[in-house]
Amino acid sequence: MRRPAFPLSALATTALLLTACGTEHSGAGNSEARAAAPPSRTQVDDPGKDGVRITSLTLPSTSPSPTHSYSVSAGSLATDSGIVASFEVTNASTEPLTYSVIVTFMSSDGGAIANSTATVRDVGPGKTVRGTVRAGQLPLSAPRVTQAKVLGVAKVPADEAPADPGTCPASGIRVSVDKGDAAMGLRIVGLHLDNCGTRNFTLEGYPLLELLDDDFKTVRGVKILHGSSEITTAAGPDEQPRPVTLKPGESATAGLVWRNTTESGTPVNVPYVRVRAKAGADSVMVAPHLDLGTTGKLGVKPWAKADSAQ
């Protein structure tokens, strides 16, 4: 099933910067491969964000060639830049949390080169957990990475965290949010429900939503509409809900539609949304970061069976 690309967070595509190891010539004209220097690890003094901070950055050795940024061992064709940021997560709350951490890798002038995301699950209250995230592949034309910082953090209660792709929760139903689409102030984000279990799953109607702030408190003053016609016609006509039965391996989608128009009043931002596929279903907390402006409206499309050809 096709997933739209996230306009905000979007993780940068990465590719390896390679340079061939040089050779040294002896007086007799013989040559030998010069061994690549080991990677360098630099401690990072990072104030961090929301309990997450970078602790060190590991970079591959510099190349003697002025036209390349990184070197690899002779005869090897690496597929990864070898750039690794180490980080630590400290949970200052009173409940276990699952963190989604976006790290940006930057050049010496502060320009962003690549973003990568790591998920750290089930961090207990008062606990500190350490992890790493790789820059991955980088274009040959990319500047040399010299620093990294925490770009964004989403944290949700561990028992409501979305399942990782490729895994299936005990309920047999995996709920997730895509990275959305935005144009001229119009926002559209898709909710996705996958039947990853062994039994049919039937639903009808609209996802049940609760809008939450950074402290997981209910956001008041926003009207949740069934359909999107009051907001825009660009999201297609409003369809009446119909029964949807998903066999194992099948999926359904619904949509969140809003405008981020800001006029009089205080803009409303909703970082988190608690989602139930239907009454009685387990709740899942997603982090679509709804910038609702001052419109006070969020349109919701009904569940519809996903096109199996997608």
Side-chain angles (χ1 to χ4, degrees):
M1 182 173 58
R2 185 179 299 119
R3 299 286 200 269
F6 197 135
L8 304 175
S9 94
L11 305 179
T13 304
T14 52
L16 175 67
L17 294 150
L18 297 177
T19 186
C21 289
T23 57
E24 294 179 352
H25 297 274
S26 66
N30 295 326
S31 64
E32 63 181 26
R34 183 167 59 219
S40 62
R41 184 181 184 190
T42 304
Q43 297 299 310
V44 176
D45 184 15
D46 176 27
K49 178 179 294 187
D50 295 334
V52 183
R53 69 183 189 93
I54 305 297
T55 57
S56 68
L57 182 63
T58 299
L59 300 173
S61 60
T62 57
S63 167
S65 168
T67 61
H68 294 83
S69 296
Y70 304 107
S71 63
V72 295
S73 300
S76 71
L77 183 60
T79 59
D80 188 275
S81 62
I83 301 170
V84 181
S86 298
F87 63 87
E88 64 179 26
V89 177
T90 300
N91 181 2
S93 77
T94 59
E95 64 178 324
L97 298 175
T98 288
Y99 291 75
S100 179
V101 180
I102 303 175
V103 172
T104 184
F105 296 86
M106 302 175 295
S107 60
S108 58
D109 63 2
I113 297 174
N115 294 338
S116 295
T117 299
T119 299
V120 184
R121 292 191 170 273
D122 302 323
V123 182
K127 301 296 184 181
T128 296
V129 175
R130 293 172 176 82
T132 59
V133 62
R134 307 184 71 89
Q137 296 178 319
L138 298 177
L140 290 171
S141 58
R144 182 171 179 79
V145 170
T146 62
Q147 53 187 321
K149 72 175 183 179
V150 177
L151 181 63
V153 177
K155 49 189 179 183
V156 300
D159 59 356
E160 293 185 280
D164 287 327
T167 66
C168 191
S171 66
I173 300 301
R174 183 172 54 238
V175 175
S176 61
V177 63
D178 66 31
K179 297 174 182 179
D181 194 8
M184 300 296 290
L186 179 65
R187 307 284 195 259
I188 302 176
V189 165
L191 293 175
H192 302 270
L193 186 152
D194 304 317
N195 183 356
C196 54
T198 58
R199 299 179 179 180
N200 289 356
F201 183 78
T202 300
L203 68 166
E204 180 178 1
Y206 301 86
L208 304 179
L209 308 179
E210 184 181 1
L211 309 184
L212 305 171
D213 64 15
D214 284 315
D215 297 319
F216 311 140
K217 304 297 184 182
T218 301
V219 175
R220 308 292 181 184
V222 177
K223 186 178 181 180
I224 298 178
L225 308 171
H226 284 175
S228 60
S229 60
E230 288 189 37
I231 297 171
T232 182
T233 58
D238 287 340
E239 302 287 349
Q240 290 300 311
R242 299 175 181 175
V244 176
T245 297
L246 302 177
K247 297 177 182 179
E250 293 185 329
S251 302
T253 62
L256 307 181
V257 183
W258 74 98
R259 290 193 181 276
N260 72 335
T261 306
T262 300
E263 295 178 350
S264 60
T266 302
V268 175
N269 292 304
V270 178
Y272 301 106
V273 178
R274 178 175 282 123
V275 180
R276 287 182 173 84
K278 62 180 181 179
D282 291 344
S283 63
V284 176
M285 195 180 297
V286 296
H289 298 283
L290 310 179
D291 55 342
L292 300 179
T294 57
T295 62
K297 296 179 181 179
L298 175 67
V300 184
K301 293 282 194 177
W303 289 116
K305 197 168 186 178
D307 185 352
S308 59
Q310 290 184 339

